[in-house]
Amino acid sequence: MYEHDVIVVGAGGAGLRAAIAANEAGADTAIVTKLHPVRSHTGAAEGGINAALREGDDWELHAYDTMKGSDYLGDAPAIETLAQDAPEDTIRLEHWGMPFSREEDGTVSQRPFGGLSFPRTTYAGAETGHHLLHTMYEQVVKRGIQVYDEWYVMNLAVTDEPDPNDRTCHGVVAYDVQSGNIEGFKANDGVVLTTGGPGQAFDHTTNAVSCTGDGHAIAYRAGVPLEDMEFVQFHPTSLPSTGVLISEGVRGEGGILYNEDGERFMFERGYANNAGELASRDVVSRAELTEVNEGRGVNDEYVYLDMRHLGEERILDRLENILHLAEDFEGVDGLVEPMPVKPGQHYAMGGIETDENGETCISGLYAAGECACVSVHGANRLGGNALPELIVFGKRAGRHAAGEDLGEAEIVTGYGEDVEDETDLDSPVQPGRAGLGESKAAGEVATDGSGQLTAGEDVLERAVEAERERVEYLLEHDGTNHADIRAKLQEAMTADVNVFRTEAGLKRALKVIRECREEYQNVGVADPSRTFNTDLQMTYETRNLIDVAETITLGALVRNEFRGAHWRQENQRRDDENWLKHTLISWNDGEPNIFYRPVILDGEEKTYEPKIRSY
Amino acid sequence: MSTQQEQPPQTEETEPGEESADTEPSPQDRRMAQKASRQAEREKAAEEAEPTGETVHLKVFRFDPEVEAKQKPRFDDFHVPFEKGMTVLDAVIYARDEFDSSLTFRHSCRQAVCGSDAFFINGRQRLACKTQISELDQPVRVEPLPHQEVIKDLVVEMEHFYEQMHAVEPYFQSEDTPPASDLEEQRQSPENREKVKMSTRCIWCAACMSSCNIAAGDNQYLGPAAINKAYRFAMDEREEEELTEHRLRIIEQEHGVWRCQTQFSCTEVCPKDIPLTEHIQELKREAVKKNLKFW
């Protein structure tokens, strides 16, 4: 057994920032990650970090843009915290040596991004995430923070209280990928989940192969609600063959979208008469797919993104890596040809429900970054708002877990008196467990709700034992290959839970998800080795993807309105009367329980009145 | 809502079906027809291509210390259906998911930033994700990075590489003139940023280290990646002179920059085009200028 004060699971932007903050607050901090920190997916972020740094801009404008961009589904206390903390936290990165792009006077550059009323996106070329990740890892090395790299976290150790709000998290169970050892990690003060997005639930995604929603699933099974999972952002410019992301920076710098007929459709077809290509991502994604669906797409699949007119010098200065990406992954020279692009799954606005201090309804369990939903992005995230979210809420979660007083949170979490239950869900299937039959090793939930087990060591020991048994069983058992189940799940999600959604399609997807659950009952791991068994690890990940896919689809089915990234065929209007509320889904006695909580539109000084979102 | 209702529905004057009988099909209809026919053509082409489908012949290194049948290193052959734009990583993933789920390798972002899938492909260190199959002679040999201990199949021990990276104190340490407030940045000229830019692109893939003859013979040699990391900080004008000298002392030690014999293999294999050899030479010159001892 390993023991630390604060255990951070995951080592991307949010994880590293949380670990640094916890360490600075005096806690003995360790990071447990299934990759090495510099391999984390934050490294692939391209665009930049929104922060009000300059004269003419201020945090209130940033908060307003974010609330509008969220289509009024963000919570004001979270959004205002983001906008207030971002400037200092961004400049802190500069103090740590981050190589931001610079102006002639040596100050950091900022550029325009979609949905922003001021050019407040601070960036480092078109590889901001890479520099952010490496700069923070350097600080982790400097501080001597313990990193357990290539350790896969399988489950949480949570007490047995019947009500999730009464439970406490005492640590995690993790698997040393290199040796196959399964060990408990006891967290005296808190566990911070920073495991990133669940993009692998889809087959066309900009997300890394490692983005499998592990944190989402283990928190969900321990009783924490997943919030607003139906809001999945599709990025309008990903390369068609691989899903590799072409940064919004291209449009920020003046890149133009054309259809097959050479029309600049964002204007000529009236999708966004003012902002054009710089309208927010959901608007541009729908415009592109509409062009394709109406027969004006190139090869019936994609549209063109053109940056040639920007000139070689500017492209090389600000978008150089875009040239490399287009060349290496699509065989296109961006200096002489337009680049093919289409929408791809990019970011999960929803996630593990937390308050503005990063805490979940389970005591001692925190989440930050893309795996969390605090919620700052609401129905649609603005470009350049993910990286400030990482540093702001990573920092806050780390500090709070280490025992620092950040003040009372305004956002309430968990199932309580203020919630409204879903009463008329017409689900076509009975959701079930993706465990392993009735075997003892199934251990589907992290806690049995009996109220028996309360001491930290006991809780951890039981959790470790359950995972050891499960691994034994999987290694000895011949059965379905997880890859077949994963492929089937991904295809169904891309077919029916994509940019455009219909009730029939969502029900079709739920049926497939249910089949995947059933097939998973008979899953087996073909590789018998304990050494670097990626087959075993991916089998675990696939189960997590099933849970995540189900919450996304259920959320999309119940939300019968059109808001932000969530488009519903049956209802083409944003319905503020009925739907200014968050969708929450918690795992309860072997099935998902759906409930709602109102959006908080009251900020510190003012109330954000929902307005029509036009660009 | 009420304003919408006041507008007369525009299609009322024509009976359904009338327009299509007598008038030209709309551009939209023509397009949809074209789309359908193109779709049919593509499906037909795909069907025809199927039986004679081109395949890629992979020869993949296999080794597992634990599994009896795999304790003796060998090469496995995989024949993977070829698709345009296919990378070596795509092919290896296909082989794992369709033929042998025990085939083990690291990979994550598949877009050349995570640095975890550097393999020895057809005799050269490359990132599998950014290597197009069509550019390679077949069979495509995929092996783990040379000069690194193999853990299993294509997975090598990276611990030593990370230790060398950490040995150069790879973190910003400037405290000379701290900014006046938390909201004021340090200044860095665009020229200085340009100077360090290439060096900041390192993704820690270890391709350079694996290609270096000197590193192969001298386990303590810091190696091109770590020296490049030192360059990134030594050349950053935001760090004061004393610190720069401290950094130069680290890299001019016995197993530092002077070991480099300018063979350029690191520069040749770097997937991020970092001029590693040049950076090492520049640090040698700086060390001389600062009158530091050299070996």
Side-chain angles (χ1 to χ4, degrees), chain B residues 20-52:
Chain B
S20 57
D22 292 323
T23 56
E24 286 281 299
S26 72
Q28 163 84 17
D29 292 339
R30 270 205 310 274
R31 248 189 266 278
M32 296 312 280
Q34 278 171 8
K35 184 177 168 176
S37 82
R38 281 197 300 255
Q39 176 70 25
E41 268 170 41
R42 269 203 301 272
E43 274 166 16
K44 199 170 155 224
E47 244 170 60
E48 284 169 358
E50 199 83 354
T52 55

Side-chain angles (χ1 to χ4, degrees), chain A residues 35-36 38-39 41 43-44 46 54 87-88 91-92 94-108 124-125 127 130-131 134 137-139 141-142 149-150 178 205-210 242-245 260-261 269 292-297 299-300 316-317 320 324-325 328-329 481 483-484 526-535 538, chain B residues 1 28 31-32 34-35 38-39 42 64-67 84-85 87 90 93 96-98 101-116 129-130 132 151-152 155 157-159 161-162 166 170-175 179 181-191 193-194 196-198 200-205 229 232-233 236 238 273:
Chain A
L35 305 170
H36 180 277
V38 301
R39 317 286 174 215
H41 189 55
E46 292 167 5
R54 300 285 176 247
E88 191 185 319
I91 293 303
R92 177 154 296 113
E94 199 285 332
H95 293 174
W96 288 339
M98 178 151 165
F100 282 113
S101 293
R102 300 280 169 167
E103 296 297 324
E104 278 308 314
D105 67 355
T107 55
V108 298
E127 49 206 27
H130 164 82
H131 294 302
H134 282 254
Y137 178 61
E138 288 157 18
Q139 292 300 310
V141 173
K142 183 179 182 181
D149 65 322
E150 295 188 332
Q178 215 175 108
T205 174
T206 66
N207 282 195
V209 178
S210 58
T242 49
V244 164
L245 176 69
E260 192 188 29
D261 300 342
R269 299 249 161 210
V292 171
N293 289 343
E294 292 184 357
R296 293 185 297 273
N299 290 331
D300 302 324
L316 284 177
D317 181 40
E320 187 191 334
H324 299 313
L325 294 176
D328 294 340
F329 299 101
N481 179 0
D484 297 338
D527 186 355
S529 181
R530 289 272 174 178
T531 306
F532 228 100
N533 193 333
T534 50
D535 196 2
M538 291 178 83
Chain B
M1 288 305 285
Q28 163 84 17
R31 248 189 266 278
M32 296 312 280
Q34 278 171 8
K35 184 177 168 176
R38 281 197 300 255
Q39 176 70 25
R42 269 203 301 272
D64 185 333
E66 253 188 272
V67 176
K84 191 178 171 290
T87 64
D90 294 334
I93 288 176
R96 178 196 66 199
D97 288 353
E98 302 293 328
S101 62
S102 74
L103 178 57
T104 304
F105 48 95
R106 290 190 181 100
H107 69 296
S108 182
C109 74
R110 86 264 180 277
Q111 63 178 80
V113 292
C114 80
S116 57
C129 65
K130 68 172 277 192
Q132 293 281 323
I151 296 173
K152 180 177 173 182
V155 176
E157 178 59 75
M158 293 289 286
E159 223 31 62
F161 175 79
Y162 296 144
H166 292 171
Y171 33 82
F172 202 65
Q173 302 179 41
S174 191
E175 271 166 21
S181 79
D182 283 339
L183 281 173
E184 193 200 320
E185 65 257 47
Q186 307 162 98
R187 301 294 172 100
Q188 181 186 26
S189 67
E191 294 73 30
R193 184 195 181 255
E194 196 60 29
V196 298
K197 185 172 89 178
M198 293 309 288
T200 62
R201 292 204 172 149
C202 176
I203 55 172
W204 299 43
C205 69
K229 192 81 183 165
R232 179 254 168 281
F233 291 105
D236 193 314
R238 289 173 292 174
D273 302 324

Side-chain angles (χ1 to χ4, degrees), chain A residues 155 372 441 505 607 615:
Chain A
N155 217 342
T607 297
Y615 287 96

Side-chain angles (χ1 to χ4, degrees), chain B residues 61-252:
Chain B
F61 179 88
R62 305 300 302 272
F63 164 75
D64 185 333
E66 253 188 272
V67 176
E68 212 183 329
K70 283 177 64 191
Q71 280 167 351
K72 197 174 156 208
R74 64 165 203 275
F75 281 88
D76 274 359
D77 292 273
F78 295 104
H79 297 271
V80 171
F82 177 76
E83 274 177 34
K84 191 178 171 290
M86 186 176 228
T87 64
V88 173
L89 181 66
D90 294 334
V92 183
I93 288 176
Y94 188 96
R96 178 196 66 199
D97 288 353
E98 302 293 328
F99 303 138
D100 181 355
S101 62
S102 74
L103 178 57
T104 304
F105 48 95
R106 290 190 181 100
H107 69 296
S108 182
C109 74
R110 86 264 180 277
Q111 63 178 80
V113 292
C114 80
S116 57
D117 68 342
F119 307 142
F120 197 56
I121 300 165
N122 279 6
R124 182 192 159 113
Q125 288 80 2
R126 311 173 204 248
L127 289 187
C129 65
K130 68 172 277 192
T131 304
Q132 293 281 323
I133 288 275
S134 55
E135 288 168 12
L136 302 172
D137 292 334
Q138 290 197 36
V140 177
R141 281 170 75 93
V142 188
E143 300 168 71
L145 288 180
H147 307 311
Q148 260 120 316
E149 190 192 329
V150 178
I151 296 173
K152 180 177 173 182
D153 294 347
L154 301 173
V155 176
V156 294
E157 178 59 75
M158 293 289 286
E159 223 31 62
H160 177 63
F161 175 79
Y162 296 144
E163 277 165 18
Q164 298 302 76
M165 294 302 278
H166 292 171
V168 298
E169 299 182 10
Y171 33 82
F172 202 65
Q173 302 179 41
S174 191
E175 271 166 21
D176 193 21
T177 43
S181 79
D182 283 339
L183 281 173
E184 193 200 320
E185 65 257 47
Q186 307 162 98
R187 301 294 172 100
Q188 181 186 26
S189 67
E191 294 73 30
N192 185 248
R193 184 195 181 255
E194 196 60 29
K195 183 171 178 62
V196 298
K197 185 172 89 178
M198 293 309 288
S199 67
T200 62
R201 292 204 172 149
C202 176
I203 55 172
W204 299 43
C205 69
C208 58
M209 190 80 151
S210 163
S211 78
C212 176
N213 280 331
I214 314 305
D218 175 4
N219 197 35
Q220 291 180 65
Y221 174 43
L222 286 172
I227 296 175
N228 174 73
K229 192 81 183 165
Y231 178 98
R232 179 254 168 281
F233 291 105
M235 296 299 171
D236 193 314
E237 67 185 13
R238 289 173 292 174
E239 280 198 341
E240 58 268 33
E241 200 146 312
E242 264 173 45
L243 258 174
T244 309
E245 281 187 22
H246 171 67
R247 293 192 180 282
L248 290 174
R249 277 199 191 87
I250 294 172
I251 53 95
E252 66 90 50

Side-chain angles (χ1 to χ4, degrees), chain A residues 574-593:
Chain A
R574 187 176 86 189
D575 179 2
D576 287 344
E577 204 173 307
N578 296 305
W579 285 103
L580 272 176
K581 60 189 183 188
H582 299 291
T583 326
L584 293 136
I585 305 182
S586 66
W587 186 249
N588 192 4
D589 284 338
E591 61 177 281
N593 175 31

Side-chain angles (χ1 to χ4, degrees), chain A residues 350-604:
Chain A
I352 303 164
E353 186 204 31
T354 73
D355 63 26
E356 61 270 39
N357 298 330
E359 197 169 20
T360 69
C361 67
I362 292 184
S363 170
L365 182 64
Y366 297 78
E370 190 176 344
C371 75
C373 179
V374 38
S375 67
V376 286
H377 308 306
N380 176 59
R381 177 176 69 83
L382 294 180
N385 260 356
L387 297 184
E389 182 196 15
L390 300 182
I391 52 177
V392 167
F393 294 101
K395 172 199 69 181
R396 293 177 74 87
R399 276 192 190 160
H400 199 275
E404 248 182 50
D405 183 8
L406 301 180
E408 183 93 11
E410 285 175 59
I411 294 171
V412 181
T413 58
Y415 188 91
E417 284 166 9
D418 58 330
V419 306
E420 169 201 344
D421 276 297
E422 165 66 37
T423 48
D424 57 356
L425 171 64
D426 176 21
S427 170
V429 294
Q430 271 301 306
R433 293 181 176 180
L436 296 167
E438 294 303 311
S439 90
K440 193 182 170 201
E444 173 68 18
V445 279
T447 169
D448 64 8
S450 66
Q452 300 295 309
L453 226 47
T454 50
E457 271 89 5
D458 298 345
V459 173
L460 191 57
E461 206 171 295
R462 183 190 63 173
V464 169
E465 220 29 67
E467 296 312 316
R468 285 187 180 148
E469 278 179 40
R470 190 198 299 266
V471 166
E472 279 310 317
Y473 178 82
L474 284 170
L475 291 180
E476 283 165 15
H477 185 75
D478 274 335
T480 316
N481 179 0
H482 81 87
D484 297 338
I485 302 172
R486 189 183 288 207
K488 181 173 170 175
L489 185 80
Q490 290 173 330
E491 276 165 33
M493 292 296 284
T494 297
D496 283 322
V497 200
N498 210 310
V499 174
F500 294 124
R501 297 163 174 187
T502 66
E503 185 177 335
L506 293 167
K507 288 188 169 176
R508 208 159 40 229
L510 271 176
K511 273 212 172 77
V512 178
I513 293 164
R514 175 65 177 146
E515 282 164 29
C516 289
R517 283 192 178 282
E518 275 165 16
E519 284 166 27
Y520 197 92
Q521 302 286 351
N522 187 39
V523 80
V525 175
D527 186 355
S529 181
R530 289 272 174 178
T531 306
F532 228 100
N533 193 333
T534 50
D535 196 2
L536 173 66
Q537 186 184 327
M538 291 178 83
T539 300
Y540 261 78
E541 291 170 346
T542 298
R543 185 175 69 143
N544 294 341
L545 286 173
I546 295 172
D547 279 340
V548 168
E550 183 171 274
T551 56
I552 294 171
T553 312
L554 278 173
L557 185 62
V558 293
R559 187 177 287 274
N560 186 21
E561 66 155 351
F562 171 16
R563 184 183 299 270
H566 175 64
W567 182 99
R568 276 291 295 268
Q569 168 99 51
E570 294 80 10
N571 196 342
Q572 291 285 298
R573 283 174 50 240
R574 187 176 86 189
D575 179 2
D576 287 344
E577 204 173 307
N578 296 305
W579 285 103
L580 272 176
K581 60 189 183 188
H582 299 291
T583 326
L584 293 136
I585 305 182
S586 66
W587 186 249
N588 192 4
D589 284 338
E591 61 177 281
N593 175 31
I594 302 176
F595 59 97
Y596 307 102
R597 175 174 278 123
V599 175
I600 306 173
L601 293 172
D602 293 331
E604 260 175 33

